[in-house]
Amino acid sequence: MSRFRKMLCILAILIVVSIDALGENSSKLFYPEYEDIILGEKTVFIDDDYITLQEYIKLLDIEDGALSRFILMDLDNDGADELILEYSVAQYPYSYFLLHCTDEKIYMYDLGLRSFNCLRTDGTFEYASSAMDNGIARVDFTKADTIIAPIVYSKEGTKDNIVYYEEKHQINLAKFNKILEAQWQKDEPMWLEYSDDNILEVLRKK
């Protein structure tokens, strides 16, 4: 092997190692901030305002409402985990709080059960705005209007019919159902029971 090729190989190895190291550091970067939020020592940014998690839950003013489960998971494949908190009412899932860090701020998104349901380990989930408007999506935190980015979905057509799409390309009902069946076969992530002590222990171990 020529000296030039050896140098290229070494450079390629260094690049791979650097990328892997960046991924490891990135996935751990925001855990102290998440810990501060759980402790009520740091605010989140939601609805154009800064507020603590505890204050936000208090403002919901829902009887028998409480955080029930949580999970750390990289939803957008950027190398950093989001913190997902399940909020339940009378022990039934009601909505999900997605905490995401960007621009040195922690953003929180409150997605109702119909907007964020049946999460899978690849970051995809199901949503349903109506009987006609539903499907499979993933999150896109770069979008200005909504973070829900549909992948395979149905929507009302111009003739009161239902039209099916995959990545904006129209498909038939049979293919739509086949994709849904494959989605249901995907692995589910492992949720953990929520308590301040439990979540802090997980965050500090990362």
Side-chain angles (χ1 to χ4, degrees):
M1 183 182 292
S2 68
R3 182 179 180 183
F4 178 71
R5 288 188 176 182
K6 286 182 179 179
M7 291 179 63
L8 285 179
C9 290
I10 293 172
L11 180 60
I13 292 171
L14 289 174
I15 291 173
V16 170
V17 170
S18 298
I19 291 174
D20 288 343
L22 177 62
E24 290 179 5
N25 291 335
S26 181
S27 66
K28 298 177 181 179
L29 186 59
F30 307 126
Y31 293 140
E33 282 80 355
Y34 290 152
E35 182 177 329
D36 291 341
I37 287 168
I38 298 302
L39 293 171
E41 298 173 356
K42 188 177 181 69
T43 58
V44 296
F45 189 74
I46 183 172
D47 297 333
D48 296 322
D49 196 11
Y50 289 95
I51 189 171
T52 67
L53 174 63
Q54 292 76 8
E55 289 170 338
Y56 182 78
I57 293 175
K58 187 175 181 179
L59 286 174
L60 292 177
D61 193 25
I62 300 177
E63 187 176 357
D64 294 329
L67 295 174
S68 51
R69 298 190 301 171
F70 73 96
I71 190 171
L72 278 168
M73 184 173 172
D74 184 4
L75 290 174
D76 57 346
N77 297 315
D78 67 346
D81 284 344
E82 279 70 45
L83 175 59
I84 310 168
L85 304 173
E86 181 184 74
Y87 181 79
S88 296
V89 176
Q91 299 183 342
Y92 291 97
Y94 180 82
S95 64
Y96 294 89
F97 305 155
L98 275 58
L99 278 68
H100 170 75
C101 187
T102 183
D103 300 328
E104 298 182 354
K105 290 191 294 188
I106 301 290
Y107 291 81
M108 188 170 82
Y109 304 87
D110 184 353
L111 299 181
L113 186 62
R114 292 177 63 87
S115 299
F116 186 86
N117 198 5
C118 300
L119 179 64
R120 294 297 187 257
T121 54
D122 64 353
T124 59
F125 55 91
E126 296 177 41
Y127 74 95
S129 300
S130 67
M132 292 186 174
D133 184 3
N134 59 78
I136 303 166
R138 63 171 60 255
V139 297
D140 182 353
F141 295 109
T142 65
K143 297 178 68 176
D145 51 347
T146 175
I147 63 170
I148 298 175
I151 304 170
V152 179
Y153 55 98
S154 65
K155 60 187 299 186
E156 185 176 0
T158 57
K159 301 178 180 179
D160 293 331
N161 61 327
I162 302 178
V163 186
Y164 305 93
Y165 295 90
E166 180 182 14
E167 301 287 0
K168 299 182 179 180
H169 299 291
Q170 191 169 335
I171 59 176
N172 58 36
L173 175 59
K175 184 172 183 180
F176 180 78
N177 287 335
K178 187 175 182 179
I179 295 172
L180 282 182
E181 290 174 5
Q183 177 73 11
W184 298 332
Q185 298 303 316
K186 292 180 181 178
D187 292 333
E188 298 181 39
M190 184 179 296
W191 292 84
L192 300 174
E193 183 178 355
Y194 185 91
S195 71
D196 287 352
D197 290 341
N198 196 12
I199 191 171
L200 289 174
E201 181 181 358
V202 171
L203 290 172
R204 290 165 181 170
K205 282 183 178 179
K206 288 290 184 176

